[in-house]
Amino acid sequence: MTDSASPATRAADILSRPIALNGLTVPNRIAMAPMTRQFSPGGVPGEDVRSYYARRAAAGVGLIITEGTYVGHESAGDSDRVPRFHGEEQLAGWERVAADVHAVGGTIVPQLWHIGMVRTAGSPPFADAPAVGPSGIAADGTEGAGRAMTQGDLDDVVGAYAQAAKDAERIGFDGIEVHGAHGYLLDQFLWEGTNRRTDGYGGDLVARTKFAAEIVAAIRGNVSADFPVIFRYSQWKQQAYDARLAETPQELAAILEPLTAAGVDAFHASTRRYWTGEFDGSDLNLAGWTKKLTGKPTLTVGSVGLDGDFIRAFAGEGSRTKGIDDLLDRMEREEFDMVAVGRALLQDPLWAEKVLAGRFDELAPYDAAALKTLS
């Protein structure tokens, strides 16, 4: 890339390149990050959800990662408006979503989700289902809000993820993403703050990966060999922004290696700000370290296109637009392979189209209040 390349040419050259994730070729390097919207009454994605995703795919998003979808376990969620990835009507709705995205040239994967101890007792869609987690302990240390999972519980959840992945391939999705981030069930096993088990699923870093690795292996065994499996993880939790799974690259490698061996094809490393170095002495972000340690393709995410992090934005402070020169520099160095865009793309369905065409002056600042009228 020459220094004289215009911003428009540079963005197009770097972001327009196709990339292979196992057997899937994504047409460019832009992904839509998963964002919960609760627009699916009864857990069924309808016509508005179809148009929401298809509109962004038509405007240049190479890979759509859907909002989190509950797997087929009664304790998986706590809202009847969040889509589910089980049930005849729910899967029929998702089949139509995938078809619409494909019709405009995009690719799409569902994010498979279980919230674990985040569940509030008595909430829908299955009011009698208990909150479950590795030790029955909430992220803030509260005990008694749920119960520790038995081996039967663990087996049931592994089976639910494997069935959801099989269904995703059957109804036409291009791969799946496992939600292992942000303090939800799989992350509750990965983090020592919520995993105090004394059996094979608790203890050191490697033992705490056992449950997530079993889920990945079960998925891998239930889908075609070339069907992509993406794993999303984070250091931070929604209940503890400063929490960390790993303090050093060596500790991070101990977590990632079992997941890679189990069959992860790509990692989606979630951070609050993509431009922040993960460990002292290096400016590599979490996705950069993940790629360096595993050799797998990685997606970065975290306030892309915004001048501040999403925590402040969701608190209503708003954000100005931020240039993407640093993002392009990092992609040009192959620090990571794809960029997942969240709120900027939620705000502006044409974000990818504008960026790829160099129309940066048309990008609108994020406005949480205005999102109530957007689709």
Side-chain angles (χ1 to χ4, degrees), residues 307-323:
D307 73 335
D309 69 64
F310 57 85
I311 303 302
R312 290 192 294 109
F314 278 138
E317 295 183 25
S319 286
R320 297 184 301 274
T321 57
K322 172 183 171 68

Side-chain angles (χ1 to χ4, degrees), residues 47-319:
E47 178 64 34
D48 57 337
V49 176
R50 291 167 58 187
S51 62
Y52 167 74
Y53 288 121
R55 185 180 182 192
R56 286 155 178 82
V61 174
L63 176 66
I64 299 289
I65 305 172
T66 75
E67 61 210 284
T69 67
Y70 298 149
V71 296
H73 186 259
E74 289 192 348
S75 296
D78 63 354
S79 170
D80 198 39
R81 293 184 61 83
V82 168
R84 302 200 285 273
F85 214 82
H86 60 96
E88 184 176 351
E89 189 178 2
Q90 288 81 3
L91 291 176
W94 279 121
E95 184 172 17
R96 289 188 285 270
V97 171
D100 284 4
V101 168
H102 290 153
V104 295
T107 62
I108 183 169
V109 301
Q111 186 188 71
L112 306 180
W113 191 24
H114 193 304
I115 69 172
M117 288 298 300
V118 176
R119 175 174 164 76
T120 302
S123 9
F126 303 103
D128 294 336
V132 296
S135 305
I137 299 170
D140 63 1
T142 301
E143 299 187 31
R147 63 172 175 78
M149 295 174 74
T150 66
Q151 186 63 54
D153 295 326
L154 297 171
D155 293 343
D156 287 345
V157 172
V158 170
Y161 272 93
Q163 183 62 50
K166 183 176 182 178
D167 287 335
E169 185 172 26
R170 175 180 59 82
I171 65 177
F173 278 82
D174 298 297
I176 59 95
E177 177 172 280
V178 175
H179 196 343
H182 305 165
Y184 296 113
L185 180 63
L186 273 65
D187 197 17
Q188 291 159 23
F189 274 84
L190 294 174
W191 188 40
E192 63 180 349
T194 42
N195 186 344
R196 302 179 191 174
R197 297 178 75 98
T198 56
D199 61 4
Y201 294 93
D204 64 17
L205 285 167
V206 174
R208 296 199 301 271
T209 69
K210 179 178 171 63
F211 183 49
E214 285 185 352
I215 286 173
V216 171
I219 289 171
R220 186 79 277 159
N222 228 21
V223 297
S224 301
D226 60 353
F227 192 69
V229 176
I230 304 168
F231 190 90
R232 193 182 208 208
Y233 81 102
S234 66
Q235 298 259 45
W236 68 275
K237 324 299 171 198
Q238 64 169 337
Q239 311 90 344
Y241 298 141
D242 296 329
R244 296 176 68 80
L245 300 178
E247 295 292 346
T248 66
Q250 292 75 25
E251 290 183 353
L252 184 59
I255 295 166
L256 298 176
E257 286 168 3
L259 296 170
T260 303
V264 170
D265 296 303
F267 286 95
H268 187 178
S270 177
T271 56
R272 291 172 63 188
R273 307 171 187 89
Y274 78 84
W275 56 87
T276 302
E278 193 58 39
F279 300 113
D280 291 342
S282 170
D283 64 355
L284 282 181
N285 71 5
L286 187 61
W289 274 109
T290 301
K291 182 176 181 179
K292 181 176 182 177
L293 293 170
T294 68
K296 295 292 185 179
T298 59
L299 295 83
T300 197
V301 69
S303 302
V304 175
L306 305 176
D307 73 335
D309 69 64
F310 57 85
I311 303 302
R312 290 192 294 109
F314 278 138
E317 295 183 25
S319 286

